[in-house]
Amino acid sequence: MHDLFAAEVRGLDLVAGPDGATFERIRDAFERFSVLVFRDQDIDDERQIRFSSRFGPLETTKVGTNGAGSQLVVLSNLGADGTIVPPTSRQMLNNRANQFWHADSSFKPVPARASMLSARIIPSAGGDTQYCCMRAVYADLPQRLKDAVEHRVAIHDYGWSRGRVDPELVTEEEKRVVPPVRQAMVLDHGACGRSLYLGAHAARVEGMPEAEGRALIDELMAFATQERYVYSHQWRPHDLVLWDNRAVLHRATPFRGSAEARHMVRTTIAGDGPTVAVPHVAA
Ligand code: OGA
Ligand code: MN
């Protein structure tokens, strides 16, 4: 679907469920293309959980996020009564936060491996999801920036990133459950190369004066999010998209959220380890 990454998988019947050999081919394609699009998958939550779980254990949704305590994240502007929630609600603000380039759960000691998003209700215009190929980005980084990120650690801080959207958005409880963590700035995917690992939660660079670290992050993010690295997914009803949070960043794009409904359901496949030996920030 893009010169660098993202592929469409055709002929998959999720109701029957792919057999073992087919699933291995999907897994290979996922490792290689980082974003997989499956069209026409009219699935419910249970079926989505079942298919996602074949890629690995799922994350449990943290407190303060729609779907807390379950294996689902519900990204929606609809309230429990099925009507659109007010623009100032937590739900709307959290949706707005998704418009910053990010990797899911990069604020956790073991960040997410993959996310699977199912389009249940989509607006007539806008509300695309964009993906940025961070392997191609790393490969293309000028040597000066490659040197700057080599063996570097960024501090990812949910309280900080959400606070930028609205200072009231993050609760004390959330800050307690997701304190800042250390993440490698470069991830190694073996045969698939290396990727730059950053995004909205990356607050500062360890061992660098705050302003200098911020300047580096901003320069890297500006380089990374150039149009040539971006695939924009225009949703159709019942699309299912799987992406590799360790190889791409993603963001939501705006739509007429006070007039039209958008309802998406995500499952998140946990990572199999931290990106650094010691992910916790020393007290
Ligand atoms: C997500 C996410 C963006 C969107 O599901 O993690 O950031 O377009 N979604 O809904
Ligand atoms: Mn996300």
Side-chain angles (χ1 to χ4, degrees):
M1 308 196 82
H2 185 281
D3 286 347
L4 297 168
F5 71 134
E8 183 181 335
V9 177
R10 298 215 177 117
L12 178 72
D13 181 356
L14 271 188
V15 176
D19 61 30
T22 305
F23 184 75
E24 280 318 305
R25 291 179 63 202
I26 294 171
R27 223 188 207 314
D28 286 348
F30 165 74
E31 298 289 347
R32 186 157 154 222
F33 293 102
S34 304
V35 177
L36 297 183
V37 175
F38 309 91
R39 306 274 191 195
D40 305 314
Q41 304 295 334
D42 184 5
I43 52 169
D44 59 11
D45 297 347
E46 191 217 342
R47 196 150 260 145
Q48 184 171 347
I49 289 173
R50 205 177 326 139
F51 182 49
S52 312
S53 302
R54 291 184 69 173
F55 292 87
L58 302 185
E59 288 191 354
T60 299
T61 304
K62 68 155 199 60
V63 64
T65 295
N66 217 356
S70 77
Q71 292 179 313
L72 303 170
V73 176
V74 181
L75 300 101
S76 176
N77 62 349
L78 299 178
D81 64 355
T83 64
I84 293 176
V85 297
T88 51
S89 63
R90 270 183 69 80
Q91 209 172 315
M92 277 299 196
L93 293 173
N94 270 323
N95 290 347
R96 181 134 40 89
N98 280 334
Q99 293 180 14
F100 292 98
W101 288 106
H102 65 280
D104 290 334
S105 299
S106 77
F107 50 82
K108 293 185 182 174
V110 175
R113 178 65 208 274
S115 294
M116 191 179 279
L117 190 61
S118 163
R120 307 290 174 85
I121 302 173
I122 55 170
S124 62
D128 299 347
T129 306
Q130 298 187 312
Y131 298 91
C132 180
C133 183
M134 297 301 271
R135 284 183 192 154
V137 165
Y138 180 83
D140 289 355
L141 278 184
Q143 193 58 45
R144 171 181 64 85
L145 289 176
K146 275 198 177 120
D147 292 343
V149 294
E150 186 75 20
H151 304 307
R152 277 281 179 189
V153 167
I155 306 299
H156 289 233
D157 184 345
Y158 185 86
W160 177 84
S161 57
R162 280 304 193 265
R164 282 178 118 190
V165 177
D166 187 313
E168 303 284 287
L169 186 52
V170 65
T171 63
E172 288 307 313
E173 190 183 14
E174 282 179 291
K175 283 188 197 161
R176 205 163 46 240
V177 215
V178 284
V181 292
R182 308 172 69 239
Q183 302 292 3
M185 290 177 76
V186 180
L187 304 181
D188 195 335
H189 305 268
C192 288
R194 303 173 109 199
S195 63
L196 182 67
Y197 190 58
L198 276 177
H201 306 298
R204 46 198 175 271
V205 178
E206 192 173 76
M208 263 192 186
E210 176 118 21
E212 201 183 312
R214 261 325 315 159
L216 176 59
I217 292 173
D218 291 345
E219 183 180 8
L220 289 163
M221 286 295 292
F223 183 92
T225 56
Q226 295 175 84
E227 216 174 284
R228 64 175 177 278
Y229 301 117
V230 174
Y231 164 66
S232 287
H233 186 70
Q234 269 185 294
W235 294 93
R236 296 184 202 160
H238 311 314
D239 275 358
L240 184 67
V241 176
L242 173 73
W243 67 85
D244 183 345
N245 282 299
R246 298 193 176 196
V248 302
L249 294 179
H250 65 283
R251 69 171 176 183
T253 66
F255 68 101
R256 294 201 313 136
S258 53
E260 287 196 81
R262 186 176 190 265
H263 186 85
M264 316 285 283
V265 176
R266 190 182 100 199
T267 41
T268 313
I269 295 119
D272 58 8
T275 66
V276 288
V278 181
H280 296 282
V281 177

